[in-house]
Amino acid sequence: MLNPSPATVSRVAWGVLGYTVLVVLWGAFVRASGAGAGCGDHWPLCNGEVIPTAPALNTVIEFGHRITSALAGLAALALVAVVWRGTERGSPVRKAAVAALAFMILEGALGAGLVLFEYVAYNPSIGRAVWMAAHLANTFLLMGALTLTAWWSEGFETPRLDDAGRAGWVAATLVATLILGAGGAVTALGDTLVLGGGLSEEHPVVATLLAARIFHPTMAFVTLAILGAAVASTRTASGRATTLGFAVVGGFVVQMAIGALNVALQAPIWLQIVHLLATDLIWIGMVVWASETLAAPAHEPAMAPAL
């Protein structure tokens, strides 16, 4: 069997990343529509059946998400196989692909936990909020690993840590974005319980979630400030990194406008999906920016004098 070419490895990696984003969006639709209990508290079975018979709409939605998630797991496994045959021993692409597979397995475990603990539909509990925040953080790490697999398979340089200041700015930006995303997951849960489930705002858990809503937009402004400072402070890294940084900042501003519209329209499901899609794309861009920023040498070589 012939080893796949670098172009094939790259296409497979980008394809798996794109498919994973679609699966994540479908999962958000499951949560927003309240269909998470469509298979009851059974996992991996659906209402005690391998394939549900005469399923209700919520069952179709939830079971469909399980099927697409299982296919995403197989895709991650196939990606590791392709990368292993198409790259050399010690390649960072291999490490990124294996990390993606590990995060994919953990993603499935977290999804199963949501079902088994009945943290689905309109269940109001602090445990569910914490679990969803962890789920979102792992989703970001999964997409980050897939992004690096695809980006490095294109032949771009891998990060180095010989510039502590630059590494600090990048780390601060990524951590702030992870915290922002986790807060967004909790905010979305509050919207689902009140707007979708019709739960009273006086419910103790719901009241807590609603009171915490101010954290998400506040953290968005904080993250934007950190991102802007990071891009400004690392402009000497490389021209590509600078361009990517400005693009991510612009996308972040657009994302904040979408978030404001989401609040104004009382979080319709379609806009929640658009909001999450923009978030995923910004995160992917941010990971690429981070890789390119850290790949540049700590000190640019001096230019030769003009003759």
Side-chain angles (χ1 to χ4, degrees), residues 96-200:
V98 170
L101 178 59
F103 286 127
M104 185 70 79
I105 294 172
L106 182 55
E107 186 84 347
L110 289 169
L114 286 171
V115 174
L116 296 176
F117 292 134
E118 298 185 20
Y119 290 156
V120 292
Y122 303 118
N123 177 344
S125 65
I126 295 298
R128 182 183 182 184
V130 173
W131 199 273
M132 288 187 64
H135 197 6
L136 188 284
N138 185 76
T139 299
F140 270 27
L141 294 176
L142 166 61
M143 290 192 296
L146 288 173
T147 299
L148 293 179
T149 303
W151 188 252
W152 293 343
S153 70
E154 296 277 2
F156 293 106
E157 294 292 327
T158 55
R160 62 184 79 188
L161 301 177
D162 54 353
D163 188 327
R166 186 184 298 169
W169 276 116
V170 169
T173 302
L174 295 177
V175 170
T177 306
L178 280 172
I179 295 173
L180 173 64
V186 174
T187 299
L189 174 60
D191 290 337
T192 297
L193 296 177
V194 174
L195 302 176
L199 273 68
S200 171

Side-chain angles (χ1 to χ4, degrees), residues 67-88:
I67 294 297
T68 55
S69 298
L71 292 176
L74 294 176
L77 185 61
L79 175 61
V80 171
V82 171
V83 167
W84 223 258
R85 294 189 62 85
T87 60
E88 299 179 353

